[in-house]
Structures are given as C-alpha cells and as structure tokens.
Amino acid sequence: MKAAFAAALLAALATQVSAVAEWGQCGGLNYAGSNTCDAGLSCVYSNDWYSQCLKSTSSAATSSTKTSSTSSTSSTRASSTSSTRVSSSTSSTKTTSGSAQASSAVPTASGNPYTGKSVWNSEYYASEVYAAAALVTDTALKAKISKVASIPTFTWFDTMAKVADLPGYLQAAGSSILQIVVYDLPNRDCHANASNGELTYANNGAALYQQYIDGITAAIKASSGSTVVAVIEPDSLANLVTNLSDSRCSSVQDQYKASVVYALKTLATAGVYMYIDAGHAGWLGWPANISPAATLFAQIYTSAGSSPFIRGLATNVANYNALTAASPDPITSGNSNYDETHYINALAPMLASSGWNAQFIVDLGRSGKQNIRTAWGNWCNIKGAGFGLHPTTNTGNSYIDAIVWVKPGGECDGTSNTSAVRYDSMCGGVDAKVPAPEAGQWFQDYFLDLVNNADPAL
Ligand code: BGC
C-alpha cells in the first residue's frame, strides 16, 4: 500500500499527469495538483487540507474541485464505506457519535502498539510537503521531497480548534496507527517563549485543557477500531526537573502535573497508547538530572493509575541527537549519556526500580547530521540539520518500541523576529537559521536544508 501511495504522490507532483491514482491527494487547501481521479475512484473529502482518491461505486473517472470537495463533507464521508481503507465497520459510528460515552467497552492494551501495524501518513503534513514541492522547479529535488510526504510523521494538536480535525483523521487512518501529539498544556513551554500556547491557568486553563482532552477522547471513542499513539506534552515535565528556578515554571508545577495526569487517565479510557515526553539526553541525561527525572516520571505514571496504555516515554522530540553516535559530539562532554541510546539505557532501569517498566519511542526526524551545534542546549532551527533515520520497529534495543518522526520537519521551532512576543533568544543564536517564522509555521528554506542534508539520503 505504501508503494502505491508513494506512486500516487509522485503522480500528483508531475505536471503532465491529469488523473490521480488510488489513495493519492486530489484536493485540499494549498494543493496545486490534479483534482481528477483514475477511473473507478472518487475524490473524497477528508479535511480542509486533504481530499483523497478512493474507490467509488461509479465506474467513471471523477473529478472534484477544491470547492465542491470541501462543501460535501458529511455526505461524501458517509458514502465512502465501500473503499478498502475507510472500513464500513467504522464509518457509521463515526458519523453518528459525538460523545465520550459512545463506546462503553474498556479497551485492552497489547504491548508494543507498533507491532504488526502500518502507520498512517499524516495528511496534514503531506499537504505541507506538497505545497513545498510546488515551489520547487528542480525535478530531482521534487522527487526527494515527495519521499518525505510518504514518511509517517506525527500530527500535532497544538490548539483546541484542531481537535475538530481528529474525526476525519481517524476515519482516514482506518486500521492503521494514527500518531498524534497532545500539546496544549496551559502555560506551555514555561522556560522558553517560542512555543507559548493559547491556554493559561490564570484564564481558566485547567478547565479548558480538560475540555481539550475530553474532545480528543470522545473522538477516539467514537471511532471503533482505531489505534492511536500519542506523545504527551513535549517539554512540560522536563521543565519541572531542571527549571524550577524560573518562577514561570515553579508557579505552575502542581497544575502541570494535575493536567498531565488528567490527560493520561482520560486518554487511557479510549485505549490511546501514550508516551510521555522525556526531553532528551542533553537535557535530562545529565548525572544531576536523570535520577530526579526518573522519580518524577514514575510518580506521574502511578498517579495516573499505572495504566498499561501509559506505555512509556518519548525522547528527542524536536531535537537533533543521534540514536547511537559514532563518537561523542564534543558538546556532550561531561555527560556519559551522550546519545539517546545511552540515555534510554540509563533511564529505563531507574524507572523499573520505581515500578514502571517503561518502553520508549525516539524522534529521529531531524537527527540525520551530527556535530552541528556549538552548545548542546541549542534547540531552535539548528543550521545544517538533515532528516534522519526513517521510522521503524527494527530498533535493535528492547527498550525502544519504535523510531519515529514526531516533529514535522519544515515546521518552524520559533521566530527569529526580535520584536515578536514569542521571540526566544535561542532562535536568533549562532546555531539558528534565520530569518525564521513563528513556531509551527512552514519554514521552506529550513525544510529544503533538511531534505538536502538527509542522512540516510532521500
Ligand atoms: C509549535 C507548534 C507546532 C509544533 C510542531 C511547536 O514548536 O509551537 O505550534 O505544532 O512545534 O511543529
């Protein structure tokens, strides 16, 4: 299926091709390719960013304009049950259910969620990559870019509004794994500025965050059969290990913990496999930090009810560390945990001795090139970075469930505009590529660097 999908992506990128093959994109905001599907396929709306060619009952080739594909949302979704990807067993529940009570069965966890499953390819990210490809004329580069669009990358829910897109993603993912990042904690990113979010505890953030979590949970419960893997709140708990001298972090530490525990407990009822963000080797791997980090993570796991769906921890999210460095980068001097393998191998036994046999996933999306920083703490739009090892369950480490791509490469880490409210000096530092747009916005030049510096090459 992946090969067919990749072929469809290439077809969509080629200027001469007028019809799109099964699974290929045929509409969506910023999409510049063909709106016409091959014979026997219909252009089915999935969300505002993505329509896809799926098998239809009609034998004639169909064409869908952007306008018509977005305006026929519910009827198209409801009638798409004949396709192999959008199974009939899921769509009736999805289209009629809207509350967390829709499914009363308590799901059972079954070990590594990635084992034996395909992973859905984020259509939101694919649409960004298509838009990037449309700006490029070099055909060799276009082909490399198209490969990025076919590598499964997490979809971030960094605002409450984005939860509305979740039912469409669940439906499109079908029985494949949907990978999401839960990222709307109040007072988010407390020790930095670049990714400050929309919620604050001072403005009803605790209750709004519960609504946000409830919305995600309800959507997943309403979709029978979906497997969802979630990274929980990048940078939140790690800040409580190292940054309590910053009052922006210490003042919210109890609320952070309560919100994260609420998220874990609630999402577990929907059978979401969760990996709590655990920073990376250069943050919590230091001798002074790793033991307090293990204590905090184990406490949170216990407070959240020790559900088997709280599968473990995610490391290196949006960072640049190697899984296994050929030799220690000089910037890691003083830390024997100089790569993610050393960090995980040191952290896992500490957690186990606190009662949590945690497993790990590692984000290697931007770790292709090493020894590119002047200081290990630098994290913003690092110059010279390249896409890294591709997602796989073949990790060579029994603690690691999967290598994944969490940070969508090309989405910015933070603005370099010194007068912006969310300006963080890290994003104007010596290692940072400038000029850079706001966090989460598309950063085309940075994306092209990631493509050109990819290791393994694309
Ligand atoms: C941004 C988010 C974005 C995420 C993934 C974060 O740094 O603050 O808005 O969704 O990166 O790109």
mmCIF file of all heavy atoms in Angstrom, residues 47-74:
data_model
loop_
_atom_site.group_PDB
_atom_site.id
_atom_site.type_symbol
_atom_site.label_atom_id
_atom_site.label_comp_id
_atom_site.label_asym_id
_atom_site.label_seq_id
_atom_site.Cartn_x
_atom_site.Cartn_y
_atom_site.Cartn_z
ATOM 1 N N ASN A 47 -10.408 16.301 5.015
ATOM 2 C CA ASN A 47 -10.493 17.523 5.812
ATOM 3 C C ASN A 47 -10.141 18.681 4.891
ATOM 4 O O ASN A 47 -9.895 18.477 3.709
ATOM 5 C CB ASN A 47 -9.575 17.464 7.047
ATOM 6 C CG ASN A 47 -8.112 17.350 6.669
ATOM 7 O OD1 ASN A 47 -7.675 17.888 5.656
ATOM 8 N ND2 ASN A 47 -7.345 16.629 7.460
ATOM 9 N N ASP A 48 -10.119 19.889 5.455
ATOM 10 C CA ASP A 48 -9.900 21.041 4.589
ATOM 11 C C ASP A 48 -8.562 20.967 3.855
ATOM 12 O O ASP A 48 -8.369 21.580 2.819
ATOM 13 C CB ASP A 48 -9.970 22.335 5.401
ATOM 14 C CG ASP A 48 -11.393 22.652 5.819
ATOM 15 O OD1 ASP A 48 -12.313 21.945 5.335
ATOM 16 O OD2 ASP A 48 -11.593 23.577 6.625
ATOM 17 N N TRP A 49 -7.628 20.190 4.423
ATOM 18 C CA TRP A 49 -6.302 20.133 3.837
ATOM 19 C C TRP A 49 -6.133 18.985 2.868
ATOM 20 O O TRP A 49 -5.120 18.871 2.202
ATOM 21 C CB TRP A 49 -5.256 19.984 4.959
ATOM 22 C CG TRP A 49 -5.138 21.194 5.792
ATOM 23 C CD1 TRP A 49 -5.840 21.476 6.930
ATOM 24 C CD2 TRP A 49 -4.301 22.315 5.567
ATOM 25 N NE1 TRP A 49 -5.478 22.691 7.420
ATOM 26 C CE2 TRP A 49 -4.526 23.239 6.612
ATOM 27 C CE3 TRP A 49 -3.358 22.639 4.593
ATOM 28 C CZ2 TRP A 49 -3.869 24.453 6.688
ATOM 29 C CZ3 TRP A 49 -2.697 23.843 4.674
ATOM 30 C CH2 TRP A 49 -2.961 24.734 5.717
ATOM 31 N N TYR A 50 -7.095 18.099 2.828
ATOM 32 C CA TYR A 50 -6.786 16.868 2.112
ATOM 33 C C TYR A 50 -8.030 16.173 1.603
ATOM 34 O O TYR A 50 -8.932 15.851 2.370
ATOM 35 C CB TYR A 50 -6.052 15.932 3.076
ATOM 36 C CG TYR A 50 -5.276 14.815 2.419
ATOM 37 C CD1 TYR A 50 -4.007 15.041 1.904
ATOM 38 C CD2 TYR A 50 -5.799 13.537 2.342
ATOM 39 C CE1 TYR A 50 -3.277 14.020 1.322
ATOM 40 C CE2 TYR A 50 -5.072 12.501 1.761
ATOM 41 C CZ TYR A 50 -3.812 12.751 1.269
ATOM 42 O OH TYR A 50 -3.081 11.737 0.703
ATOM 43 N N SER A 51 -8.076 15.936 0.301
ATOM 44 C CA SER A 51 -9.048 15.020 -0.278
ATOM 45 C C SER A 51 -8.255 13.939 -0.976
ATOM 46 O O SER A 51 -7.134 14.171 -1.446
ATOM 47 C CB SER A 51 -9.946 15.740 -1.284
ATOM 48 O OG SER A 51 -10.696 16.730 -0.639
ATOM 49 N N GLN A 52 -8.839 12.757 -1.050
ATOM 50 C CA GLN A 52 -8.072 11.594 -1.479
ATOM 51 C C GLN A 52 -8.886 10.750 -2.461
ATOM 52 O O GLN A 52 -10.103 10.625 -2.303
ATOM 53 C CB GLN A 52 -7.765 10.772 -0.221
ATOM 54 C CG GLN A 52 -6.831 9.617 -0.404
ATOM 55 C CD GLN A 52 -6.620 8.873 0.907
ATOM 56 O OE1 GLN A 52 -7.538 8.747 1.702
ATOM 57 N NE2 GLN A 52 -5.420 8.387 1.132
ATOM 58 N N CYS A 53 -8.213 10.159 -3.474
ATOM 59 C CA CYS A 53 -8.921 9.309 -4.435
ATOM 60 C C CYS A 53 -9.172 7.938 -3.824
ATOM 61 O O CYS A 53 -8.229 7.220 -3.481
ATOM 62 C CB CYS A 53 -8.089 9.160 -5.708
ATOM 63 S SG CYS A 53 -7.979 10.696 -6.650
ATOM 64 N N LEU A 54 -10.440 7.590 -3.693
ATOM 65 C CA LEU A 54 -10.824 6.301 -3.108
ATOM 66 C C LEU A 54 -11.783 5.591 -4.058
ATOM 67 O O LEU A 54 -12.427 6.229 -4.886
ATOM 68 C CB LEU A 54 -11.511 6.514 -1.757
ATOM 69 C CG LEU A 54 -10.655 7.142 -0.657
ATOM 70 C CD1 LEU A 54 -11.513 7.415 0.579
ATOM 71 C CD2 LEU A 54 -9.485 6.244 -0.297
ATOM 72 N N LYS A 55 -11.884 4.278 -3.899
ATOM 73 C CA LYS A 55 -12.789 3.501 -4.753
ATOM 74 C C LYS A 55 -14.224 3.994 -4.588
ATOM 75 O O LYS A 55 -14.660 4.283 -3.477
ATOM 76 C CB LYS A 55 -12.725 2.029 -4.375
ATOM 77 C CG LYS A 55 -11.464 1.327 -4.847
ATOM 78 C CD LYS A 55 -11.681 -0.176 -4.900
ATOM 79 C CE LYS A 55 -10.440 -0.875 -5.428
ATOM 80 N NZ LYS A 55 -9.561 -1.342 -4.370
ATOM 81 N N SER A 56 -14.915 4.091 -5.699
ATOM 82 C CA SER A 56 -16.300 4.530 -5.625
ATOM 83 C C SER A 56 -17.195 3.482 -6.271
ATOM 84 O O SER A 56 -16.717 2.569 -6.929
ATOM 85 C CB SER A 56 -16.467 5.858 -6.356
ATOM 86 O OG SER A 56 -16.128 5.687 -7.713
ATOM 87 N N THR A 57 -18.503 3.648 -6.110
ATOM 88 C CA THR A 57 -19.426 2.697 -6.734
ATOM 89 C C THR A 57 -19.556 2.990 -8.221
ATOM 90 O O THR A 57 -19.853 2.114 -9.017
ATOM 91 C CB THR A 57 -20.803 2.770 -6.067
ATOM 92 O OG1 THR A 57 -21.147 4.137 -5.913
ATOM 93 C CG2 THR A 57 -20.758 2.098 -4.717
ATOM 94 N N SER A 58 -19.280 4.252 -8.600
ATOM 95 C CA SER A 58 -19.354 4.628 -10.013
ATOM 96 C C SER A 58 -18.116 4.141 -10.754
ATOM 97 O O SER A 58 -17.028 4.119 -10.209
ATOM 98 C CB SER A 58 -19.441 6.154 -10.105
ATOM 99 O OG SER A 58 -18.908 6.581 -11.320
ATOM 100 N N SER A 59 -18.255 3.730 -12.030
ATOM 101 C CA SER A 59 -17.093 3.252 -12.774
ATOM 102 C C SER A 59 -16.427 4.366 -13.569
ATOM 103 O O SER A 59 -15.356 4.199 -14.085
ATOM 104 C CB SER A 59 -17.513 2.123 -13.710
ATOM 105 O OG SER A 59 -18.507 2.612 -14.581
ATOM 106 N N ALA A 60 -17.057 5.521 -13.637
ATOM 107 C CA ALA A 60 -16.478 6.606 -14.429
ATOM 108 C C ALA A 60 -15.433 7.369 -13.618
ATOM 109 O O ALA A 60 -15.526 7.456 -12.403
ATOM 110 C CB ALA A 60 -17.584 7.565 -14.848
ATOM 111 N N ALA A 61 -14.414 7.884 -14.315
ATOM 112 C CA ALA A 61 -13.438 8.735 -13.636
ATOM 113 C C ALA A 61 -14.161 9.966 -13.106
ATOM 114 O O ALA A 61 -15.041 10.509 -13.761
ATOM 115 C CB ALA A 61 -12.353 9.154 -14.620
ATOM 116 N N THR A 62 -13.811 10.384 -11.919
ATOM 117 C CA THR A 62 -14.492 11.529 -11.328
ATOM 118 C C THR A 62 -13.515 12.644 -11.053
ATOM 119 O O THR A 62 -12.334 12.425 -10.874
ATOM 120 C CB THR A 62 -15.167 11.149 -10.007
ATOM 121 O OG1 THR A 62 -14.188 10.531 -9.181
ATOM 122 C CG2 THR A 62 -16.322 10.195 -10.210
ATOM 123 N N SER A 63 -14.040 13.804 -11.034
ATOM 124 C CA SER A 63 -13.214 14.973 -10.763
ATOM 125 C C SER A 63 -13.843 15.771 -9.634
ATOM 126 O O SER A 63 -15.053 15.872 -9.526
ATOM 127 C CB SER A 63 -13.157 15.830 -12.032
ATOM 128 O OG SER A 63 -12.592 17.062 -11.738
ATOM 129 N N SER A 64 -13.004 16.290 -8.780
ATOM 130 C CA SER A 64 -13.524 17.074 -7.664
ATOM 131 C C SER A 64 -12.766 18.380 -7.559
ATOM 132 O O SER A 64 -11.555 18.380 -7.482
ATOM 133 C CB SER A 64 -13.356 16.295 -6.359
ATOM 134 O OG SER A 64 -13.595 17.129 -5.277
ATOM 135 N N THR A 65 -13.473 19.477 -7.600
ATOM 136 C CA THR A 65 -12.794 20.745 -7.414
ATOM 137 C C THR A 65 -12.616 20.975 -5.930
ATOM 138 O O THR A 65 -13.263 20.344 -5.107
ATOM 139 C CB THR A 65 -13.634 21.903 -7.969
ATOM 140 O OG1 THR A 65 -14.824 21.944 -7.212
ATOM 141 C CG2 THR A 65 -13.942 21.727 -9.420
ATOM 142 N N LYS A 66 -11.711 21.896 -5.577
ATOM 143 C CA LYS A 66 -11.479 22.170 -4.160
ATOM 144 C C LYS A 66 -12.765 22.596 -3.493
ATOM 145 O O LYS A 66 -13.075 22.211 -2.397
ATOM 146 C CB LYS A 66 -10.426 23.243 -4.002
ATOM 147 C CG LYS A 66 -9.037 22.697 -4.278
ATOM 148 C CD LYS A 66 -8.033 23.789 -4.410
ATOM 149 C CE LYS A 66 -6.756 23.231 -5.034
ATOM 150 N NZ LYS A 66 -5.881 24.223 -5.553
ATOM 151 N N THR A 67 -13.528 23.420 -4.199
ATOM 152 C CA THR A 67 -14.746 23.944 -3.584
ATOM 153 C C THR A 67 -15.754 22.832 -3.343
ATOM 154 O O THR A 67 -16.247 22.660 -2.252
ATOM 155 C CB THR A 67 -15.397 24.993 -4.499
ATOM 156 O OG1 THR A 67 -14.364 25.786 -5.025
ATOM 157 C CG2 THR A 67 -16.377 25.826 -3.748
ATOM 158 N N SER A 68 -15.979 22.012 -4.388
ATOM 159 C CA SER A 68 -17.007 21.003 -4.198
ATOM 160 C C SER A 68 -16.561 19.944 -3.208
ATOM 161 O O SER A 68 -17.355 19.417 -2.471
ATOM 162 C CB SER A 68 -17.391 20.361 -5.523
ATOM 163 O OG SER A 68 -16.322 19.600 -6.014
ATOM 164 N N SER A 69 -15.243 19.646 -3.160
ATOM 165 C CA SER A 69 -14.835 18.594 -2.249
ATOM 166 C C SER A 69 -14.994 19.034 -0.799
ATOM 167 O O SER A 69 -15.304 18.229 0.054
ATOM 168 C CB SER A 69 -13.389 18.168 -2.499
ATOM 169 O OG SER A 69 -12.510 19.209 -2.188
ATOM 170 N N THR A 70 -14.805 20.310 -0.514
ATOM 171 C CA THR A 70 -14.947 20.716 0.877
ATOM 172 C C THR A 70 -16.394 20.945 1.257
ATOM 173 O O THR A 70 -16.743 20.849 2.408
ATOM 174 C CB THR A 70 -14.163 22.007 1.171
ATOM 175 O OG1 THR A 70 -14.514 22.966 0.208
ATOM 176 C CG2 THR A 70 -12.682 21.786 1.178
ATOM 177 N N SER A 71 -17.244 21.210 0.283
ATOM 178 C CA SER A 71 -18.618 21.508 0.649
ATOM 179 C C SER A 71 -19.477 20.253 0.792
ATOM 180 O O SER A 71 -20.608 20.319 1.197
ATOM 181 C CB SER A 71 -19.255 22.430 -0.390
ATOM 182 O OG SER A 71 -19.285 21.767 -1.627
ATOM 183 N N SER A 72 -18.916 19.084 0.442
ATOM 184 C CA SER A 72 -19.736 17.884 0.507
ATOM 185 C C SER A 72 -19.279 16.955 1.622
ATOM 186 O O SER A 72 -19.401 15.750 1.530
ATOM 187 C CB SER A 72 -19.658 17.142 -0.822
ATOM 188 O OG SER A 72 -18.324 16.771 -1.076
ATOM 189 N N THR A 73 -18.723 17.557 2.646
ATOM 190 C CA THR A 73 -18.091 16.797 3.716
ATOM 191 C C THR A 73 -18.884 15.596 4.203
ATOM 192 O O THR A 73 -18.469 14.467 4.041
ATOM 193 C CB THR A 73 -17.870 17.714 4.931
ATOM 194 O OG1 THR A 73 -17.240 18.871 4.476
ATOM 195 C CG2 THR A 73 -17.030 17.012 5.971
ATOM 196 N N SER A 74 -20.038 15.847 4.791
ATOM 197 C CA SER A 74 -20.672 14.751 5.502
ATOM 198 C C SER A 74 -21.223 13.688 4.566
ATOM 199 O O SER A 74 -21.076 12.503 4.818
ATOM 200 C CB SER A 74 -21.774 15.279 6.412
ATOM 201 O OG SER A 74 -22.625 16.084 5.641
#
